[in-house]
């Protein structure tokens, strides 16, 4: 009799717990009418999930070719690892893991898509996919898939819900980390030729190693020291490279001018970009080459790298303060002149960096960028770039990540990079 009462009590408690979880999920799907950021994020993630491909992946503008915007010059090369990884990370940062959250099934499918590519990739070389020539690769470098995958897997590590799945993610993460370490360039970067602004790829590569290290994956201290040295060598006081939209040539990008903004003070050649990718510490011209002549991209990489820990922020305070002053210059913040995917990823780097330190610079920046993002969101819940990375998947994901910097759920995402 007593055991029966205990079973009834346990069942009742379980029912209450299930009801509470269901209510929580329901609230997540229905954000407060008084919270415009929550509404914008919910619309963005709902769109991402609605256009996920049948194979679990995303491409430039969605998961199927039918999602490509008609009347615009957008290509579809099928679903790719980079777009899938950044979309999955956006869902992860809104509280979805492979075993929790309203969009857990979408995360599961995305992870399966990514791991299948990593499994098939050779041990040697930097690539984790044989799908080449995508828009995001042409802009952030041909191995951006590897860097975004490594970052996502580091955050998923230990969050898969069972030991077997966790082990597979860990092994894939270790494979990515080994690829990134072995293929670091002599100057400490990953500014591999073939992208318009590969310096943002270098930033993501370094972030992924830092996140993996925080999860207990072995990362050579020499690797991290070399990218620190690269960043310190490239950093310079404000004014060395002119503010404003750039005229720049990356190794895969041609020359272009930002709409409505002045020309940058440095014009670089493709040969300069190629020679920089081979090795050697940076000169101002070389750094300009791999940041497409746009100071915003360069500074975003520097600021994120230099500000990861409290000790870093103290040690690098002069350089960080110099960059913070540039944020008040609207020509500098405009980047290329019109807001493309590169601007979104740069803004995300800056948001992460300022949020770690807090204080007035963070609050001012966050208020301004939040207002800008809310204004730029399309009716369908997406954000789209206006140059270079124009695809809605990467840009929408980056916008969600930026809006979530100061309001991420505590459980699903590793907090190492927020400390």
């Amino acid at each position: 009799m007593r055991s029966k009462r205990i079973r009834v009590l346990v069942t009742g408690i379980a029912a209450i717990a299930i009801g509470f979880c269901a209510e929580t999920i329901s609230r997540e799907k229905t954000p407060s009418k008084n919270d415009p950021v929550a509404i914008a994020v919910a619309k963005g993630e709902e769109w991402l999930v609605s256009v996920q491909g049948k194979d679990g992946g995303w491409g430039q503008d969605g998961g199927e070719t039918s999602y490509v915007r008609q009347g615009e010059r957008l290509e579809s090369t099928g679903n790719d690892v980079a777009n899938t990884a950044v979309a999955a990370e956006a869902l992860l940062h809104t509280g979805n893991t492979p075993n929790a959250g309203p969009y857990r099934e979408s995360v599961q499918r995305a992870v399966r898509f990514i791991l299948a590519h990593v499994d098939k990739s050779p041990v040697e070389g930097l690539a984790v996919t044989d799908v080449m020539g995508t828009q995001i690769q042409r802009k952030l470098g041909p191995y951006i898939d590897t860097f975004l995958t490594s970052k996502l897997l580091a955050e998923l590590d230990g969050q898969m819900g069972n030991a077997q799945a966790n082990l597979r993610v860990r092994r894939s993460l270790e494979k990515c980390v080994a690829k990134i370490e072995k293929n670091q360039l002599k100057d400490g970067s990953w500014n591999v030729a073939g992208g318009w602004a590969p310096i943002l790829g270098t930033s993501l590569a370094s972030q992924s190693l830092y996140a993996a290290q925080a999860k207990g994956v072995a990362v050579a201290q020499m690797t991290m020291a070399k990218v620190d040295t690269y960043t310190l060598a490239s950093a310079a006081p404000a004014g060395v490279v002119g503010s404003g939209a750039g005229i720049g040539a990356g190794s895969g990008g041609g020359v272009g001018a930002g709409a409505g903004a002045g020309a940058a003070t440095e014009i670089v050649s493709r040969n300069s970009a190629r020679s920089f990718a081979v090795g050697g510490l940076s000169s101002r011209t070389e750094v300009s080459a791999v940041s497409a002549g746009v100071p915003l991209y360069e500074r975003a990489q520097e600021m994120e790298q230099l500000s990861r820990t409290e000790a870093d922020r103290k040690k690098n305070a002069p350089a960080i303060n110099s960059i913070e002053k540039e944020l008040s210059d609207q020509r500098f913040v405009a980047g290329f002149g019109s807001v493309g995917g590169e601007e979104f990823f740069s803004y995300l780097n800056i948001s992460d960096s300022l949020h770690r330190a807090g204080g007035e610079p963070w609050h001012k920046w966050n208020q301004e960028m939040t207002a800008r993002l809310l204004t730029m969101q399309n009716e369908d819940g997406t954000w789209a770039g206006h140059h270079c990375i124009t695809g809605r998947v990467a840009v929408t994901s980056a916008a969600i990540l930026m809006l979530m910097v100061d309001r991420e759920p505590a459980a699903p995402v590793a907090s190492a990079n927020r400390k």
Side-chain angles (χ1 to χ4, degrees), residues 55-72:
D55 60 2
W58 282 272
Q60 175 184 327
D61 231 38
E64 307 291 345
T65 56
S66 60
Y67 297 129
V68 175
R69 285 167 282 171
Q70 300 300 314
E72 296 190 34

Side-chain angles (χ1 to χ4, degrees), residues 155-404:
E155 296 186 2
L156 283 169
D157 184 70
Q159 302 289 340
M160 295 299 295
N162 64 76
Q164 185 177 0
N166 280 329
L167 180 60
R168 187 181 180 196
V169 165
R170 172 57 72 98
R171 286 176 174 170
S172 294
L173 173 59
E174 290 172 340
K175 184 176 183 178
C176 290
V177 166
K179 284 174 169 287
I180 294 170
E181 285 191 306
K182 289 177 184 177
N183 291 278
Q184 186 178 29
L185 299 179
K186 292 180 180 178
D187 66 0
S189 78
W190 290 269
N191 296 327
V192 180
W196 189 68
I199 198 165
L200 295 173
T202 282
S203 185
L204 287 162
S206 177
Q207 288 177 54
S208 80
L209 294 181
Y210 182 68
Q213 190 177 56
K215 286 294 190 75
V217 176
V219 177
Q221 189 57 39
M222 180 62 72
T223 301
M224 303 305 289
K226 285 174 67 177
V227 70
D228 277 338
T229 300
Y230 163 80
T231 304
L232 288 168
S234 68
V240 174
V241 180
S243 298
I247 297 177
S251 55
V255 179
T265 58
E266 295 179 322
I267 302 175
V268 295
S269 68
R270 293 188 182 190
N271 288 337
S272 174
R274 289 194 186 103
S275 67
F276 179 67
V278 173
L281 289 179
S282 59
S283 71
R284 300 310 304 167
T285 300
E286 290 169 334
V287 174
S288 184
V290 295
S291 56
V294 181
L296 173 69
Y297 308 162
E298 173 190 343
R299 297 299 194 207
Q301 183 273 327
E302 292 170 0
M303 191 166 190
E304 196 285 324
Q305 184 76 32
L306 297 174
S307 67
R308 286 181 181 163
T309 67
E310 186 175 354
D312 288 335
R313 291 189 289 275
K314 288 180 179 178
K315 179 178 64 177
N316 302 313
I320 293 170
N321 292 339
S322 175
I323 297 170
E324 287 178 348
K325 290 177 182 177
E326 292 189 271
L327 298 181
S328 61
D329 182 348
Q330 290 305 306
R331 293 177 303 162
F332 171 82
V333 175
F336 190 67
S338 60
V339 181
E342 292 85 341
E343 278 71 23
F344 277 81
F345 282 103
S346 296
Y347 297 154
L348 177 58
N349 265 5
I350 294 169
S351 289
D352 278 336
S353 304
L354 291 176
H355 181 243
R356 291 177 199 137
E360 182 58 29
W362 155 247
H363 292 297
K364 183 176 185 293
W365 169 265
N366 188 47
Q367 184 177 24
E368 292 175 355
M369 292 310 303
T370 297
R372 177 177 295 190
L373 287 174
L374 294 178
T375 301
M376 292 178 65
Q377 189 174 27
N378 299 314
E379 285 295 321
D380 62 0
T382 65
W383 285 266
H386 296 162
H387 73 82
C388 289
I389 301 176
T390 56
R392 291 180 292 179
V393 170
V395 177
T396 297
S397 301
I400 290 172
L401 288 167
M402 206 185 320
L403 290 172
M404 291 299 296

Side-chain angles (χ1 to χ4, degrees), residues 85-86 88-94 96-98 107 111 147-160 166 169-170 173 204 207-208 210-215 217 348 352 401 408 410-418:
V86 73
E89 187 175 4
L91 295 179
L92 185 66
H93 281 242
T94 58
N96 300 281
T97 69
V107 176
V111 173
F147 307 147
L148 286 169
T149 293
S150 182
K151 188 170 185 291
L152 173 68
L153 294 180
E155 296 186 2
L156 283 169
D157 184 70
Q159 302 289 340
M160 295 299 295
N166 280 329
V169 165
R170 172 57 72 98
L173 173 59
L204 287 162
Q207 288 177 54
S208 80
Y210 182 68
Q213 190 177 56
K215 286 294 190 75
V217 176
L348 177 58
D352 278 336
L401 288 167
E408 292 173 5
V413 181
S415 60
N417 287 347
R418 299 285 179 254

